[in-house]
Amino acid sequence: MGSMEDEGLAGAVLKELQQVAEKFKDEDEDDDFISPYAHLEKSAVLQEARIFHDSLAVRENPRKCCTVIAQLLHLQNTGQFLSSVEATEVFFGVTKLFMSDDASLRRMVYLFIKEVAETCDPDDVIIVTSSLTKDMTCDVDLYRANALRVLARIIDSAMLGAIERYVKQAIVDSSGQVSSAALVSSLHLFDRAPENAVVIKRWIGEVQEALSSANQMVQFHGMQLMYKIKSSDRLGVSKLVQQFSSRNSLRSPLAVVCLIRYTCKLLHDEVKEGRLGEGYQSSSGGVGGSICAIGYGFLDASLRHKSEMVIYEAARAICSLPQTEAQDINPAITVLQMFLSSPKPTTRFGAMKILANVANYHPRLVAKCNEDLESLLSDPNRSIATLSITTLLKTGSESSIDRLLKQISSFLTDIADEYKITVVKSLQRLCFTYPSKHRILIGFMSNFLREEGGFEFKKTIVNGIITLIKALPESAESSLLHLCEFIEDCEFTMLSTQILHLLGELGPQTSAPARYIRFIYNRVMLENSCVRAAAIAALAKFAASCPSLRASIMNLLQRGMLDEDDETRDRTVLLMNVLQDAMDKHPYVPPTEDELANAEGGPPKDEPVEDDIASFVLLDGMPLSFEKLRRSLMVYRSSPGSMESAEALTFANLPIVEDSAEESTSAQDVDMDDMGLGSSDVPSDEVVKEKVDPAAAVYAIPELASLGRAFRSSAPVPLTESETEYVVSCIKHIFENHVVLQFTIQNTIDDQRLENVTVMLQNDGDLFEVTGEIPASNIKYGETANSFVLLERSADSLIENNAFACTLHFNVIQVDPSTGEDESDAFEEEYPLEDLEISTADYMAKVTVPDFRKAWENIGNDYEVLEKYALSFKSLDDAVAAVINLLGMQPCDGTASVKASAGKSHMLHLSGVFIGGKSTLARAQLSMQGDSSVVLKIAVRSEDENVPRMIADCIR
């Protein structure tokens, strides 16, 4: 009985489910809705658009018209653009829709006019201005606001004056919708043309009234337009800030946020111009000081605003101010600390992001938030948790590192690789801050090399460890062992080859080189061809550096002779032959027990002899990179008579190729990326432009061919303003005993043609003598030509700075601007130019050295000059740039930029090659003394006894 009841109940449920399924099935079958935007054809839509010309259909079926307009806009936005004729025809049809009173259709008309206005003929678009102006003066706020927006899109500066009265009335309208539309339209018009800006600047009274509106959006848009009007007037902006910061009249949080940003920019400009006075919280210091004090007071008061948005923006602005002290930022830090416990993830993230930036230069201030930061390590938002751990790594003390690492170890296993990379970069910075903890930190990072992770994550760790090895030599041995363990189970060929190359470079220099050979040899047997070839090269470097290991390594290399890969096999044959020749010429004789017992200072070093062939081939690098070799060969080939010369082509005979500014910047970017401070690891896809030899114009002149190859060429030096009648610049080509001045002259006067154009030089010194001139024969309007002046330098005098008074001499012929035909005879004319200086720095080629410390020691102090100078600069950055410019040398080791952690002192390394091929190095220490003085201590060394003094005298 019970069983029968259960079966009946189950049948009833099944029947009910079937009925529900049938119901949904019927609904699906009856659902024949088709999207009006599916499978649209432009011709069909244009055909349907003819409904716009049927006044009866427009009044009775506005919904159909809305659909057609939407389809037209869909075609426009999906790339099916209307031709000019089609757009004009449809546009005229749309204008007839103004006769309908349907609000939805009117809004679609406004939208269509805005979108198609740029495609149509401007003369056709003007036709609708009368309809829009009529809507702008009607009683319906919706029409008035939208009409204003459309008019702002289609009118030009000439028509703005005609509707100026209506726009001004709309700005002060009681309707917030209309007033906001007028203000936003004015913002767009202001940026469109300078003529519009002139007209809108006269509306300042109406905009000021809009700022007193009770509508928050009106105040917001009014504040933006008011700042736009006054943005070019520093005094006007300061009055705007003072006006609204002194009275609490802004009800709109968005308007207050705008005012905070304008105040922040004003304070940045004040500090940049040196008008900070005695500080942000000082009421003295003159007018500039009072502006900074008032602006900071407003930002500080905004920290107590009732809107969270305003408080956050004020805290962000205070923390971004330049030249702040701890007491200036402390109120903002207190507010941000409260935000860390907010229930809103966006608020917590915003506060964390600001604190993470402040921790870079004020870690002690942020340290008081460490307890709150630690509570965010378990935040469900991984971005917040990552920022908290990176900030803790910046603010934590040395004693807290162990505890932080324990928290990170469990934290890293739960986050994605992109967050892990950020944490690893923070660990690298921490290792630089506390070098004594390098073993713990490197060991911690290496543990994650053996965990799961992608290529970028592993690459970041490897690059970080390599950077730490270079910066902290004491960490080399332990770091190399960690990397050796990693390549035992590394799945990325690029990282394996990179580590093997590093082992070959640094492994032989450690206290026990033999311990790394096992790891390298395992790669010869177990890896792919690329890794096997890299392992063979690394083993050969060990053999070249350590003669005691050569016999053993030769036995290991035998396996590479039978390798199936051609590259690995050929590399093995070459390396074994080089090593065998070195062993035959200088066989290794181990020291006897007596020699070891009697040796002073420990056992003798295991290093190759001076003329060892293996050391020369495998360890000594090229004197220049392959890219510079290519450029140098191209310059050599283009120089006169070089290809016909019987002289042997050696590195010493190659032209010196300077390091360009782009190369120096890219080299610094690579260093920053290695330290985890770069913006991206993605290589650039930009094509490097071929560098043209600047002396090619000189080589093309037969009269100057006897001068030979130019030592270097300077950058163009402007001798006139770019807006003058004749634009002149000069390139200085330096030769062994001559200087060729290449004057580039451009004629910008349309009714003149210049002939026989030369530059006359006057100089009171005895160092140079003008020995030749090559004039520019003919320069038409808009054309550019070169004139050359040859200077011979006295070989008996030391090089020093020389200034020349320059005057442009030429013959002028008046011409017809339209035809170019001559209208007068030639008459002489002259034009004064700026003075031209040939400085000692012009004789210095910017050439970097790969290892500045080694080069400094090798060059010796036989010819060294030490000097001390007092310079007038307000920052180390300006002083460093000035010293580099005055000496004309190339910064090395990334010392061209002052790091934020440098404090008030910076060490600058410079290198170059002086005329005659004399290598020159300089070390300069710059220290701030007070607010506007820098002390420079400089040491210059060179291969020539006269060069250091000439270079040191460049500081003036």
Side-chain angles (χ1 to χ4, degrees):
M1 188 71 179
S3 176
M4 293 178 62
E5 290 178 356
D6 292 340
E7 290 178 1
L9 181 61
V13 172
L14 182 60
K15 185 177 180 180
E16 186 70 23
L17 290 175
Q18 288 176 348
Q19 291 176 354
V20 172
E22 289 294 332
K23 179 180 178 181
F24 280 106
K25 182 179 178 180
D26 294 340
E27 288 182 358
D28 292 339
E29 291 175 352
D30 294 339
D31 190 5
D32 296 330
F33 173 76
I34 299 176
S35 172
Y37 310 112
H39 312 296
L40 286 180
E41 293 184 4
K42 186 169 71 171
S43 58
V45 176
L46 291 175
Q47 185 71 22
E48 292 185 8
R50 294 184 177 181
I51 192 177
F52 300 157
H53 299 278
D54 187 349
S55 58
L56 181 62
V58 169
R59 288 191 179 94
E60 294 182 353
N61 195 4
R63 181 63 58 187
K64 174 65 174 176
C65 297
C66 289
T67 302
V68 175
I69 293 178
Q71 290 176 340
L72 289 169
L73 292 174
H74 180 76
L75 291 175
Q76 189 85 355
N77 292 327
T78 54
Q80 302 182 56
F81 298 105
L82 303 179
S83 65
S84 179
V85 176
E86 293 170 341
T88 302
E89 182 181 354
V90 174
F91 188 80
F92 275 110
V94 170
T95 57
K96 296 182 179 181
L97 300 179
F98 277 100
M99 68 179 68
S100 173
D101 295 329
D102 186 81
S104 298
L105 179 57
R106 184 66 60 88
R107 297 179 71 179
M108 292 298 295
V109 170
Y110 292 141
L111 185 61
F112 183 82
I113 294 174
K114 286 178 62 178
E115 291 295 325
V116 188
E118 297 180 359
T119 310
C120 297
D121 188 347
D123 295 334
D124 297 337
V125 177
I126 299 302
I127 298 175
V128 299
T129 55
S130 59
S131 299
L132 293 172
T133 305
K134 181 180 178 181
D135 282 357
M136 195 170 58
T137 57
C138 70
D139 297 331
V140 183
D141 291 344
L142 179 65
Y143 292 176
R144 294 166 63 197
N146 287 327
L148 275 168
R149 291 190 174 95
V150 179
L151 275 173
R153 185 72 172 266
I154 66 175
I155 65 171
D156 54 14
S157 55
M159 293 185 58
L160 180 59
I163 65 169
E164 179 180 1
R165 178 169 60 90
Y166 301 112
V167 180
K168 291 169 65 175
Q169 289 176 355
I171 290 177
V172 296
D173 196 271
S174 58
S175 171
Q177 184 180 12
V178 176
S179 182
S180 285
L183 291 167
V184 172
S185 301
S186 302
L187 283 168
H188 292 305
L189 288 169
F190 193 98
D191 293 330
R192 187 174 302 170
E195 295 83 2
N196 293 347
V198 174
V199 176
I200 295 174
K201 285 181 179 180
R202 300 198 296 259
W203 305 348
I204 191 169
E206 287 75 13
V207 178
Q208 186 73 37
E209 186 176 344
L211 284 171
S212 304
S213 172
N215 189 291
Q216 294 189 0
M217 292 305 294
V218 173
Q219 283 193 343
F220 171 54
H221 295 137
M223 178 60 69
Q224 289 179 295
L225 184 57
M226 181 64 76
Y227 178 76
K228 187 75 76 172
I229 293 173
K230 296 186 175 183
S231 58
S232 58
D233 180 14
R234 170 186 163 270
L235 188 59
V237 174
S238 63
K239 287 183 178 179
L240 175 67
V241 172
Q242 293 180 43
Q243 174 186 353
F244 289 98
S245 61
S246 59
R247 54 176 183 152
N248 190 18
S249 59
L250 292 177
R251 300 180 182 179
S252 170
L254 290 172
V256 180
V257 167
C258 286
L259 186 60
I260 289 173
R261 293 181 179 178
Y262 303 151
T263 303
C264 183
K265 185 178 184 304
L266 176 64
L267 295 181
H268 276 267
D269 294 339
E270 292 293 308
V271 174
K272 187 177 181 180
E273 297 297 329
R275 293 189 285 263
L276 179 59
E278 298 180 5
Y280 289 105
Q281 301 189 36
S282 172
S283 59
S284 60
V287 177
S290 64
I291 291 179
C292 289
I294 292 173
Y296 177 83
F298 168 64
L299 297 179
D300 183 65
S302 299
L303 293 174
R304 295 176 289 277
H305 198 275
K306 60 182 179 180
S307 171
E308 193 175 72
M309 178 199 318
V310 174
I311 298 173
Y312 172 80
E313 191 66 32
R316 188 186 68 85
I318 290 176
C319 292
S320 67
L321 293 177
Q323 300 184 20
T324 51
E325 300 294 338
Q327 63 270 20
D328 300 328
I329 302 181
N330 196 52
I333 300 296
T334 303
V335 170
L336 293 172
Q337 185 176 7
M338 292 188 294
F339 279 180
L340 293 179
S341 57
S342 171
K344 301 177 183 177
T346 53
T347 304
R348 298 197 303 272
F349 176 77
M352 272 306 320
K353 192 172 182 181
I354 298 176
L355 289 173
N357 291 331
V358 175
N360 291 324
Y361 52 93
H362 284 299
R364 292 186 179 179
L365 284 179
V366 184
K368 68 178 184 179
C369 306
N370 282 357
E371 186 176 344
D372 300 275
L373 295 176
E374 290 184 15
S375 65
L376 293 177
L377 291 177
S378 57
D379 195 281
N381 188 303
R382 295 290 86 185
S383 298
I384 297 175
T386 304
L387 280 174
S388 65
I389 193 61
T390 54
T391 307
L392 282 170
L393 291 174
K394 298 173 188 175
T395 60
S397 61
E398 187 172 2
S399 59
S400 64
I401 290 179
D402 295 334
R403 179 171 52 84
L404 285 175
L405 293 182
K406 289 180 181 179
Q407 294 176 314
I408 296 174
S409 59
S410 59
F411 169 77
L412 283 180
T413 57
D414 301 330
I415 61 176
D417 280 2
E418 57 181 320
Y419 301 117
K420 292 180 182 178
I421 291 173
T422 305
V423 175
V424 168
K425 291 178 179 179
S426 298
L427 288 171
Q428 296 172 32
R429 297 188 185 95
L430 187 65
C431 200
F432 285 108
T433 306
Y434 302 112
S436 60
K437 293 287 186 178
H438 68 83
R439 287 184 179 275
I440 298 174
L441 292 169
I442 293 177
F444 179 81
M445 288 191 290
S446 63
N447 288 335
F448 285 94
L449 286 175
R450 295 184 287 273
E451 301 291 338
E452 293 293 329
F455 171 73
E456 289 297 330
F457 175 51
K458 300 291 181 68
K459 177 186 173 185
T460 303
I461 296 178
V462 171
N463 288 341
I465 293 177
I466 293 174
T467 304
L468 292 173
I469 291 174
K470 295 177 181 178
L472 304 173
E474 63 271 17
S475 67
E477 296 200 20
S478 60
S479 300
L480 290 178
L481 285 176
H482 288 305
L483 295 177
C484 285
E485 294 176 1
F486 170 58
I487 61 174
E488 287 287 316
D489 191 26
C490 178
E491 57 182 314
F492 304 110
T493 300
M494 177 181 172
L495 297 182
S496 295
T497 54
Q498 182 182 6
I499 293 172
L500 287 169
H501 175 74
L502 182 71
L503 288 172
E505 294 290 332
L506 302 181
Q509 303 172 13
T510 59
S511 58
R515 74 169 75 171
Y516 305 103
I517 294 179
R518 172 176 64 87
F519 298 99
I520 300 175
Y521 183 64
N522 286 342
R523 310 280 64 76
V524 178
M525 298 186 295
L526 303 175
E527 294 288 352
N528 57 48
S529 58
C530 292
V531 179
R532 293 200 303 271
I536 291 291
L539 286 174
K541 288 186 177 181
F542 272 83
S545 302
C546 305
S548 63
L549 300 177
R550 288 180 179 177
S552 302
I553 292 177
M554 286 289 287
N555 292 331
L556 299 178
L557 291 176
Q558 292 289 340
R559 184 181 181 88
M561 300 283 287
L562 305 175
D563 197 280
E564 60 183 11
D565 180 64
D566 293 342
E567 169 67 22
T568 305
R569 190 170 57 253
D570 294 345
R571 187 177 294 191
T572 304
V573 172
L574 172 64
L575 297 176
M576 288 188 67
N577 287 333
V578 172
L579 292 173
Q580 189 62 51
D581 291 344
M583 294 171 65
D584 293 341
K585 187 175 181 180
H586 300 288
Y588 174 71
V589 179
T592 62
E593 294 182 0
D594 293 338
E595 291 175 343
L596 292 173
N598 298 328
E600 296 182 359
K605 292 184 179 181
D606 186 13
E607 57 186 17
V609 296
E610 186 173 347
D611 59 342
D612 185 75
I613 182 65
S615 175
F616 174 75
V617 173
L618 302 178
L619 302 181
D620 293 349
M622 289 178 58
L624 69 170
S625 65
F626 283 105
E627 172 60 21
K628 287 187 179 179
L629 176 61
R630 183 188 67 83
R631 289 167 50 196
S632 183
L633 288 172
M634 294 185 66
V635 174
Y636 178 85
R637 187 178 64 178
S638 65
S639 57
S642 59
M643 303 305 292
E644 294 79 16
S645 175
E647 184 182 24
L649 182 60
T650 63
F651 282 114
N653 296 334
L654 286 176
I656 293 175
V657 178
E658 294 190 84
D659 295 318
S660 62
E662 293 81 3
E663 291 173 330
S664 303
T665 304
S666 63
Q668 292 187 30
D669 290 342
V670 170
D671 292 340
M672 294 289 283
D673 287 340
D674 289 342
M675 291 181 63
L677 304 176
S679 59
S680 175
D681 292 324
V682 180
S684 174
D685 294 333
E686 296 181 359
V687 179
V688 178
K689 294 182 179 179
E690 183 65 39
K691 295 179 175 61
V692 180
D693 185 7
V698 179
Y699 298 151
I701 300 176
E703 295 88 339
L704 302 177
S706 60
L707 298 178
R709 185 169 63 236
F711 173 70
R712 70 176 297 268
S713 301
S714 71
V717 179
L719 300 180
T720 62
E721 299 291 337
S722 58
E723 298 84 7
T724 55
E725 302 95 323
Y726 313 109
V727 181
V728 183
S729 62
C730 177
I731 299 177
K732 296 169 276 189
H733 303 284
I734 309 298
F735 292 81
E736 187 68 29
N737 296 310
H738 295 81
V739 176
V740 175
L741 301 179
Q742 175 186 343
F743 294 96
T744 303
I745 305 123
Q746 181 184 13
N747 178 18
T748 63
I749 303 179
D750 58 355
D751 61 349
Q752 288 187 2
R753 179 167 59 85
L754 310 183
E755 289 185 344
N756 196 28
V757 185
T758 60
V759 177
M760 304 297 294
L761 304 180
Q762 293 182 354
N763 178 252
D764 297 332
D766 299 328
L767 182 61
F768 292 102
E769 179 184 357
V770 179
T771 58
E773 293 180 353
I774 301 177
S777 58
N778 186 33
I779 308 179
K780 298 180 181 179
Y781 165 66
E783 293 183 352
T784 300
N786 294 323
S787 174
F788 298 88
V789 176
L790 178 62
L791 303 176
E792 183 175 0
R793 178 170 60 87
S794 174
D796 300 331
S797 303
L798 293 177
I799 296 174
E800 59 184 6
N801 297 335
N802 274 260
F804 294 84
C806 304
T807 306
L808 188 68
H809 284 254
F810 50 92
N811 294 331
V812 178
I813 299 177
Q814 297 291 337
V815 298
D816 186 350
S818 57
T819 63
E821 296 181 358
D822 295 351
E823 295 183 340
S824 70
D825 296 331
F827 58 93
E828 293 186 359
E829 189 63 86
E830 63 180 36
Y831 187 82
L833 306 175
E834 298 287 340
D835 289 351
L836 175 67
E837 183 180 47
I838 301 179
S839 64
T840 308
D842 291 324
Y843 292 86
M844 180 70 71
K846 296 179 173 65
V847 179
T848 188
V849 292
D851 189 341
F852 183 87
R853 183 181 301 177
K854 183 177 179 181
W856 182 262
E857 295 174 353
N858 291 341
I859 202 170
N861 59 356
D862 295 337
Y863 305 124
E864 182 180 33
V865 169
L866 303 174
E867 289 292 347
K868 183 177 180 180
Y869 301 94
L871 309 178
S872 297
F873 291 100
K874 295 182 179 180
S875 68
L876 283 177
D877 292 300
D878 296 339
V880 168
V883 171
I884 294 173
N885 183 54
L886 289 173
L887 301 185
M889 302 176 73
Q890 181 69 19
C892 301
D893 302 334
T895 57
S897 57
V898 181
K899 297 179 181 178
S901 59
K904 295 189 175 182
S905 180
H906 179 69
M907 180 62 73
L908 177 64
H909 294 168
L910 300 168
S911 67
V913 177
F914 201 70
I915 184 76
K918 306 297 190 301
S919 296
T920 307
L921 302 174
R923 295 181 64 183
Q925 184 180 17
L926 298 96
S927 304
M928 287 295 302
Q929 298 289 333
D931 295 332
S932 59
S933 179
V934 176
V935 175
L936 169 65
K937 298 178 181 178
I938 186 170
V940 185
R941 293 182 179 181
S942 179
E943 298 172 343
D944 184 274
E945 60 178 336
N946 296 320
V947 172
R949 172 46 56 192
M950 289 189 288
I951 297 302
D953 290 343
C954 290
I955 305 295
R956 63 188 190 278

